[in-house]
Amino acid sequence: MADLTLDSVTKIYRPRGREPVRAVSGLDMAIADGEIVALLGSSGCGKTSTLRMVAGFETVSEGSISLGGRRLNALRPAQRNVAMAFEGYSLYPPLTVRDNVAFALLRERAPRAEVASKVAEVAELLEIEGSLDRYPATISSGHQQRASLARALIRPAALHLLDEPMSQLEPQVRAVLRARIKEWLKDRGMTAVLVTHDQTDAIALADRIAVMEASRLMQFGTPAELRERPANLFVAGFVGEPPMNLVEAEVVAGDGRPRVVAADGLLTLELPALNGPLAPRPGQRVWLGLSPRHLAVGRGPQRARVVANQWLGDQTHLALELGDGAAALPLIAVAAGMLEAEPGESVAFEVEPRGLHLFDHEDDTALYHGSPDGTTGEPA
Amino acid sequence: MQRSSWPWRIFKALCLTAISLFFLFPILWVLLMSFQTNADILRVPPSPFFTPTLANYKALIAGELTGAGSTLQIAYMKNILNSFVLSACSVLLSLLLGVPAAYAFARYRFRLGENIAFTLLSFRFAPPLLVLLPLLLYFQELGLYDTYIGLIWVYQLITLPLILWIVRGYFEDVSPDIEHAYRIDGHSWLRSFLKIAVPLARPGIAAAALLAFIFAWNNFVFALILGSSDVQPVTVGALAFITASGIQYGQIAAGLVLSVIPTFVLALVMQRYLVEGLSLGAVKG
Ligand SMILES: Nc1ncnc2c1ncn2[C@@H]1O[C@H](COP(=O)(O)OP(=O)(O)OP(=O)(O)O)[C@@H](O)[C@H]1O
Ligand SMILES: [Mg+2]
């Protein structure tokens, strides 16, 4: 229950006899008191390393970490008042699950009755009552993971670090637990940083999401910001299921409004008048991002051929193609509800103005995000 | 596992019996001999029937070997005690030094770490005679010759590397995150070492200690050269049997039996921990 600040935090591992590994590079994050933040990124991007530095199991190579205004760098793990659920569960094998969960509280000499009721409460929350009196090695990995989560959640620490807390859980349980964990954290005003590979988990649980890739922070924002204003090409291509369509394109000056032309003219879209230092200039090469949810099929000036039509029970994923042969431009569109379209059929579609994004071709940063009405450009 | 056919099972049983006999027979023979007089032992043809006697044991415990007409004073019981003191103290000292060192080698990378660990191991395969002569000179100079402390010191060459390397492996098998979890709950490094790491590695520590004890117990050459009869263990003390007039097989056998008892008892006691280790390992996951 305190705010966490990471100030250009860098972690360089120097394994013996091998090249140094930059696991985290210049990470800047300010997490407010009571906020839940998800670290999202592919395997090996430095998520666990970040948590371990905050917890104090790895030294910080550069930069500083502070929690509630207190600089943590030189403090021992025991002094940091942080609770953590480990990626590998790390329960104490000689203790029962109940003792594992109660361990930290008993150490703080909390009254036995109080500890027992808290254990019961958190066990009910995570549905592990049946495993409480068993040893960690004798329960399933899903229950071990929940026990390790319970051990972290039961502590009233200043900060909770949860490293992939739900990776082993089956989807139904996951959905239920997500909601309960969020409620538990919010009710108690707990600050939490959780690591996940799963975007749904991140979106459902976190107030803000930090997208990491190859040791760097790509964007730190609310789920809506990540979806509607991705800061760079990586985030655009990573967030969302399916992620944004990305096409190389060129900005050309039109009569009146500038346009963006992709795939040798197969797709031409109008842009609002652009200004500002980052605004793309005519002649500039860009990446055009088209959000699948804002490709409206069944109306509009563009035409494309349906390649595949997948009904997922609540939405339709359409694979479209513009043009033919090797030069054809593939696009994915998502429509709410069922859509009647046979493969091979030609359909009309339209790019809704707010589904249009432009990214710099050289450094991949965002140049433009469409606004809902499409009249004013929203330079990034 | 599929059930095997009965000829195969009988064949296996026969093989196992043969192997057991092969290894256990000498021990049984020595045990029987220790209850026989020299005359019984040397009878031709040998006979499995004899009147058991405790004379051999009595002679050893009294410290008086009666050979062919002459009596020889030996301090066999003292030798056994010496063996025990030397082995036990060496193992305890090695545990005290070796377990924390093994932990350090398992958990932390430091400059020259691997080199130090390897150097310690290399004591195991260096021929002891290589170091003994210079050691003898040093020991006489330092006043360590013929003292328990001196011998316990050189016994570290035997016990420390064993304990260090075996226990290190066990520490490496314990996930560091289990200790991290303990430390983040507010415990110091030292407590997490004593309360988590050591108990989890206890089977390994027990096995290493037992092995080190046996190695120390069986050592011969260090004590032969660096000590006199005051501190010498049974392995050296047993030499007295050969210089006695005639070879007293019965007494030698009794001496062997006596010298095996402490290690045997220790192994029985340790067995509990060793088995605990096996079962813990099997479910550790
Ligand atoms: N102790 C270490 N020594 C050397 N390199 C390490 C060490 N720990 C991690 N690394 C490297 O640092 C990088 C980041 O690792 P980290 O565990 O933080 O990734 P992660 O994002 O948590 O991945 P995952 O999703 O697979 O858990 C990886 O390339 C990894 O190989
Ligand atoms: Mg990780």
Side-chain angles (χ1 to χ4, degrees), chain B residues 1 21 23 29 40 63 113 124 161 176 182 185-186 197 209 212 223 238 241 263 271:
Chain B
M1 203 162 56
L21 270 181
F23 285 109
W29 193 248
D40 279 333
R124 288 294 313 136
Y182 191 74
D185 282 351
F241 295 118
T263 336
Q271 202 175 18

Side-chain angles (χ1 to χ4, degrees), chain A residues 16 52 55-57 76-78 82-84 86-88 90-94 100 103-104 107-108 137 151 155 161, chain B residues 109-114 175-189 196 199-200 280 283-285:
Chain A
R16 193 154 283 278
R52 297 175 78 87
F57 307 136
R76 279 181 272 120
V82 168
M84 181 158 176
F86 290 84
E87 202 172 353
S90 301
L91 299 161
Y92 317 125
N100 263 287
F103 199 80
R107 189 201 148 258
E108 286 157 9
R151 182 172 65 176
R155 283 187 53 200
L161 303 171
Chain B
R109 330 231 137 260
F110 41 89
R111 238 156 61 85
L112 296 181
E114 283 310 314
S175 156
D177 278 346
I178 296 183
E179 286 167 61
H180 288 155
Y182 191 74
R183 290 178 61 193
I184 204 169
D185 282 351
H187 296 274
S188 67
W189 169 87
I196 301 291
L200 289 180
L280 223 152
V283 293
K284 204 158 56 183

